[in-house]
Amino acid sequence: MARLGLAVCAASFHLFLLLASISSLRRAPTEADTANHARRTAYHFQPAKNWQNGPMYHNGMYHLFYQYNPHSALWDIGNLSWGHSVSGDLLNWAALDTALDPTSPFDANGCWSGSATILPGALPAILYTGIDASKEQVQNVAFAKNPSDPLLREWEKPAYNPVIALPADVPGDKFRDPSTAWLGRDGLWRIAVSAEVDGVASTLVYRSKDFVRWERNAAPLHASRAAGMVECPDLFPVAERGEDGLDTSANGAGGVRHVLKLSVMDTLQDYYMVGTYDDAADAFSPAEPERGDDCRSWRRLDYGHVYASKSFFDARKNRRVLWAWANESDSQADDVARGWSGVQTFPRKMWIAKDGKQLLQWPIEEIETLRRKRAAGLRRGTRLGAGAVQEIVGVASSQADVEVVFKIPSLEEAERVDDPNRLLDPQKLCGEKGAAVRGGVGPFGLLVMASGDLHEHTAVFFRVFRHHDKYKLLMCTDLTKSSTRAGVYKPAYGGFVDMDIDDHKTISLRTLIDHSVVESFGGGGRACITARVYPEHVATSSSHLYVFNNGSDDVKVAKLEAWDLATATVNVVVGDHHGLVAPALELEPTRTTQ
């Protein structure tokens, strides 16, 4: 279940690329295509067909090398390869041939996770986990065969692989996911690799002068027996102030902090901690040590349905961007019937909050180029009384960008919680206090992907609780009514928004709707929830979008904007059911960086 890492390199060139000239599959749409169109995403990254689950950025233009199964829509049929797509804007993607395939003894059973780095001399290199002929996990290197090729279409795997063999104290199936490489002040490259060492979940650090011979640091970057195996480590710098991103090798200077992100197999969730990184000892010191070594008590990147996230430094826009994998949550039979499985979340810009402890996330600005028709919205200051449900008309609500700001006139009716233990599990609290359960201050928010009779809908909402003299703002995405289909995972996701609602009295909610994906950002990106939804009504009728309040106290709509979003070109097959014309992708020059 490992995923790909991310890295940045750059080149100066100006290139136009037609998707039609790259696509290798041409066919007419079928009835199955028409049925699946209602659930296939319009602007989230996914391949034209089959199973996928991880991105990477590389080489001056936007490259995604992603873990891909060219044989099936399921993960466990055939061995995994690295798919490869390119883009000029992080929205429209053209598919190339696979970059890495299992062809050698050191990756005979699959090319799994990895990362790319630009080496001196502008040589792109990939480190990846191979499942060797003995079905053990080893770390291999591959180099671009022609570094001057802007598309980096061919890669060479040296015969001296693996460059990092399975350590004696690590089981054969618990050693994977080499991270993006970074340079220490001593001139040595470093990577982080996930492993289980003598039963302890560990994030190991390896150092190298030449990217071929690697030595393991004596102490791990992080270790904990409690969480079980962790995957997909990501260590990256953030500026203490401002929203600008930092090069992955930035360290040792004032105004720089680091984030350590780990993916936990036990929960299939991603957790992070802000702290400081010492590249002399390769040690990470958390800003919140009271949260402990068990990363399941750290902060969550997303409270919903995502896993194996990875960030990269986008030198073109001077920002750090996050991707994550959102797998399907219906049945394997549905995957096979659709012919594809898995998407990437929409790219998010990421920076540190003023408190120095949490990350803020927001959809990258390029999404605004997809905006088309704008809804009239509700009049500013519209009051939503108890039980109010008002439709937002004028947008195609299955493919939209919606932003609303709610003003809370009073917190007097906030629901009291005497037992603080009830506040320890926000997802459970969202399940108990769903959108249909009348509250005091809330639930209020949006009903998305809703049928006209509201028998199917996904509720994204807030609710305020009071414990003693403190207020807690809960954010939920309730899927219990999202589909009338059986065999679909329909939980209530939830997390607390880390902000002082008593001081602000307003809360913002932005939701991206893309057929089977609903991504929501609460409080300016302080809490994020991603969900997969599969409503039945979309096969025969349009979806609707509503704003609602099911609390006893009124709330006001201080702002509401909703936009239709155009369909991006994302690895589509020419002649596919999307009916798209392949656009030119213009790639701008950027400065060189790691």
Side-chain angles (χ1 to χ4, degrees):
M1 296 292 291
R3 313 290 180 258
L4 298 185
L6 304 174
V8 176
C9 55
S12 296
F13 57 84
H14 192 242
L15 173 70
F16 290 92
L17 176 65
L18 291 178
L19 296 178
S21 68
I22 299 177
S23 178
S24 60
L25 298 174
R26 299 175 182 267
R27 58 174 174 79
T30 66
E31 291 184 7
D33 287 335
T34 302
N36 286 327
H37 174 56
R39 295 190 176 95
R40 185 175 178 89
T41 57
Y43 57 90
H44 283 74
F45 179 88
Q46 59 185 143
K49 64 176 184 175
N50 295 342
W51 183 91
Q52 69 92 33
N53 73 330
M56 182 165 61
Y57 182 89
H58 182 62
N59 197 29
M61 59 188 288
Y62 295 107
H63 287 251
L64 269 77
F65 298 89
Y66 52 93
Q67 201 172 91
Y68 179 57
N69 187 349
H71 313 288
S72 171
L74 303 181
W75 175 77
D76 57 351
I77 295 179
N79 295 324
L80 296 181
S81 298
W82 273 30
H84 185 190
S85 296
V86 294
S87 173
D89 58 7
L90 285 175
L91 297 174
N92 300 286
W93 294 91
L96 299 173
D97 291 336
T98 54
L100 297 176
D101 292 298
T103 57
S104 305
F106 47 80
D107 62 13
N109 286 290
C111 301
W112 279 25
S113 55
S115 301
T117 306
I118 194 73
L119 301 181
L123 175 62
I126 287 175
L127 284 168
Y128 71 100
T129 299
I131 311 303
D132 68 12
S134 301
K135 296 189 176 181
E136 292 183 340
Q137 296 174 2
V138 297
Q139 314 312 317
N140 303 314
V141 69
F143 299 100
K145 187 173 183 179
N146 179 12
S148 63
D149 175 13
L151 299 183
L152 299 178
R153 285 167 289 193
E154 296 183 89
W155 293 82
E156 294 179 313
K157 299 182 290 185
Y160 55 70
N161 277 311
V163 292
I164 306 179
L166 179 71
D169 54 354
V170 175
D173 61 346
K174 291 181 171 59
F175 183 55
R176 53 184 176 270
D177 307 349
S179 72
T180 302
W182 68 93
L183 274 172
R185 286 171 292 181
D186 57 7
L188 298 179
W189 291 104
R190 286 145 167 89
I191 58 171
V193 183
S194 291
E196 184 178 293
V197 180
D198 295 329
V200 177
S202 304
T203 302
L204 306 179
V205 174
Y206 283 83
R207 300 172 179 169
S208 176
K209 289 183 178 180
D210 56 10
F211 234 70
V212 175
R213 290 170 289 274
W214 294 87
E215 293 185 4
R216 176 171 152 187
N217 193 42
L221 191 66
H222 176 265
S224 173
R225 190 178 298 273
M229 180 66 183
V230 299
E231 301 183 294
C232 311
D234 191 10
L235 179 72
F236 58 89
V238 289
E240 288 185 341
R241 294 177 180 84
E243 298 182 15
D244 287 347
L246 295 176
D247 180 277
T248 304
S249 293
N251 62 65
V256 176
R257 308 206 88 186
H258 274 74
V259 176
L260 177 61
K261 190 280 308 181
L262 301 172
S263 300
V264 178
M265 289 185 64
D266 181 49
T267 61
L268 291 180
Q269 298 290 346
D270 284 9
Y271 306 84
Y272 75 91
M273 180 78 77
V274 176
T276 57
Y277 165 66
D278 176 6
D279 69 336
D282 284 317
F284 177 78
S285 301
E288 299 177 275
E290 66 275 11
R291 290 181 178 265
D293 290 333
D294 186 348
C295 55
R296 293 172 299 179
S297 64
W298 295 2
R299 294 179 181 268
R300 288 267 296 273
L301 274 178
D302 191 296
Y303 290 96
H305 195 81
V306 301
Y307 188 65
S309 61
K310 193 69 175 68
S311 71
F312 67 91
F313 174 59
D314 179 2
R316 178 180 298 175
K317 293 293 183 74
N318 196 31
R319 62 191 173 183
R320 183 153 291 272
V321 176
L322 181 78
W323 294 77
W325 176 57
N327 67 319
E328 307 303 320
S329 58
D330 52 358
S331 70
Q332 286 193 346
D334 290 318
D335 293 346
V336 173
R338 277 192 302 266
W340 54 269
S341 175
V343 302
Q344 295 297 321
T345 56
F346 191 77
R348 304 172 183 179
K349 179 180 176 179
M350 211 169 33
W351 68 100
I352 195 171
K354 291 181 179 179
D355 66 4
K357 297 177 181 179
Q358 69 171 323
L359 294 173
L360 303 181
Q361 303 171 55
W362 201 245
I364 59 170
E365 61 188 20
E366 284 85 343
I367 196 171
E368 296 178 11
T369 67
L370 295 178
R371 289 176 174 175
R372 296 299 181 262
K373 185 179 178 183
R374 181 177 179 178
L378 301 179
R379 183 172 56 86
R380 183 174 181 178
T382 295
R383 186 178 295 272
L384 299 176
V389 179
Q390 294 195 31
E391 185 169 9
I392 303 168
V393 297
V395 296
S397 59
S398 61
Q399 197 168 310
D401 182 358
V402 186
E403 187 169 2
V404 58
V405 177
F406 295 98
K407 182 173 180 59
I408 305 172
S410 172
L411 296 174
E412 288 299 318
E413 296 301 318
E415 297 166 77
R416 295 182 180 276
V417 176
D418 295 324
D419 182 2
N421 291 325
R422 294 191 62 205
L423 302 176
L424 297 178
D425 190 340
Q427 180 163 343
K428 182 180 179 182
L429 195 56
C430 285
E432 296 172 352
K433 299 285 188 176
V437 180
R438 177 66 63 88
V441 182
F444 58 86
L446 296 172
L447 301 178
V448 306
M449 294 299 291
S451 58
D453 57 10
L454 287 178
H455 285 168
E456 288 185 323
H457 64 266
T458 296
V460 186
F461 63 89
F462 299 106
R463 199 176 194 124
V464 181
F465 293 91
R466 183 176 183 176
H467 176 61
H468 298 313
D469 293 327
K470 300 289 185 181
Y471 293 95
K472 298 278 286 185
L473 179 63
L474 182 69
M475 177 178 169
C476 303
T477 296
D478 186 355
L479 303 186
T480 55
K481 300 291 186 181
S482 62
S483 177
T484 55
R485 293 179 61 202
V488 175
Y489 184 51
K490 294 177 282 190
Y493 294 116
F496 287 109
V497 185
D498 192 356
M499 62 179 289
D500 189 350
I501 191 62
D502 188 25
D503 181 50
H504 290 78
K505 294 293 197 308
T506 60
I507 180 66
S508 66
L509 174 63
R510 186 175 183 186
T511 296
L512 305 183
I513 309 163
D514 191 2
H515 299 272
S516 63
V517 181
V518 176
E519 290 188 70
S520 297
F521 304 81
R526 288 176 173 83
C528 307
I529 301 178
T530 300
R532 302 301 307 274
V533 298
Y534 308 89
E536 290 275 71
H537 72 267
V538 296
T540 56
S541 63
S542 299
S543 290
H544 298 261
L545 174 64
Y546 301 89
V547 63
F548 81 98
N549 174 31
N550 199 25
S552 60
D553 256 17
D554 294 354
V555 295
K556 291 181 179 180
V557 178
K559 171 187 174 183
L560 195 153
E561 292 183 351
W563 300 82
D564 271 347
L565 294 183
T567 297
T569 302
V570 184
N571 297 330
V572 296
V573 176
V574 175
D576 201 354
H577 58 271
H578 283 71
L580 297 175
V581 177
L585 303 181
E586 184 175 350
L587 305 175
E588 300 175 358
T590 63
R591 64 182 183 273
T592 301
T593 184
Q594 277 83 27

